[in-house]
Amino acid sequence: AGMLDARLEAVRVHRLALERYALVRRSFLEYERLARPVMSGFDGLLPVLNYVRDGKITAYERLVRAGARLQALGADLAALKPPADLTDVHATLVSAVHLATEACTRRRLAVTTGNAEIDREASAAAAGALLLATHVRDQMVVRLYPPQIKIQ
């Protein structure tokens, strides 16, 4: 009887989750549509961010352009109002763009000063930005689709 009760509870919880999903689905899809250009813009900067993370040399002008592009993406994000159930994902995306901007700024500073510590900070910021962006993508995929039932 205990196992049957647990399965019935899992089905009940899943039904509630599906009802909730049906209520928020449209707002999630709209947010994803509006945030997609920011994600695409971020993806276009992946080569630069990977170079910064890995400590590889890249043209200074490329860092300047990447930093300017990231600031524009940050401004685009600031104009977006996420649905309540996606505020955490939105905040993570904002953090990813901020860290990427910091990575480019610090790398430019490291190049002009020759400071290895600042270069390590740039690398860490780029790594963090890339990690957060991956998390955002994963969460968007999970949340854009109906929840799956979890039966033990």
Side-chain angles (χ1 to χ4, degrees):
M3 182 178 268
L4 181 58
D5 289 341
R7 287 182 183 239
L8 286 172
E9 178 62 16
V11 169
R12 187 184 71 71
V13 167
H14 183 247
R15 185 176 51 80
L16 290 172
L18 285 173
E19 289 172 5
R20 175 79 183 139
Y21 174 76
L23 289 173
V24 299
R25 181 177 183 269
R26 179 170 277 134
S27 66
F28 281 20
L29 290 172
E30 178 65 11
Y31 175 78
E32 189 278 333
R33 184 184 68 78
L34 295 171
R36 192 177 316 139
V38 173
M39 292 300 296
S40 294
F42 190 93
D43 289 347
L45 297 170
L46 289 177
V48 174
L49 294 172
N50 283 323
Y51 270 52
V52 172
R53 179 198 61 200
D54 298 341
K56 294 181 180 174
I57 295 172
T58 188
Y60 188 86
E61 296 77 25
R62 218 172 155 199
L63 294 169
V64 171
R65 283 192 309 274
R69 181 74 182 119
L70 285 161
Q71 286 185 338
L73 294 175
D76 292 346
L77 276 178
L80 286 183
K81 177 82 171 99
D85 289 357
L86 289 179
T87 54
D88 61 326
V89 174
H90 181 77
T92 304
L93 182 53
V94 168
S95 294
V97 170
H98 176 75
L99 272 177
T101 305
E102 225 13 70
C104 290
T105 301
R106 294 218 171 271
R107 172 51 74 87
R108 285 194 332 261
L109 185 59
V111 167
T112 57
T113 64
N115 188 318
E117 179 61 31
I118 294 173
D119 202 33
R120 282 190 292 277
E121 292 170 0
S123 175
L130 294 166
L131 190 67
L132 290 177
T134 298
H135 182 69
V136 167
R137 279 186 203 85
D138 293 346
Q139 282 301 303
M140 288 301 290
V141 167
V142 167
R143 296 187 196 190
L144 287 175
Y145 291 97
Q148 300 299 308
I149 192 163
K150 295 175 182 127
I151 297 178
Q152 285 128 4

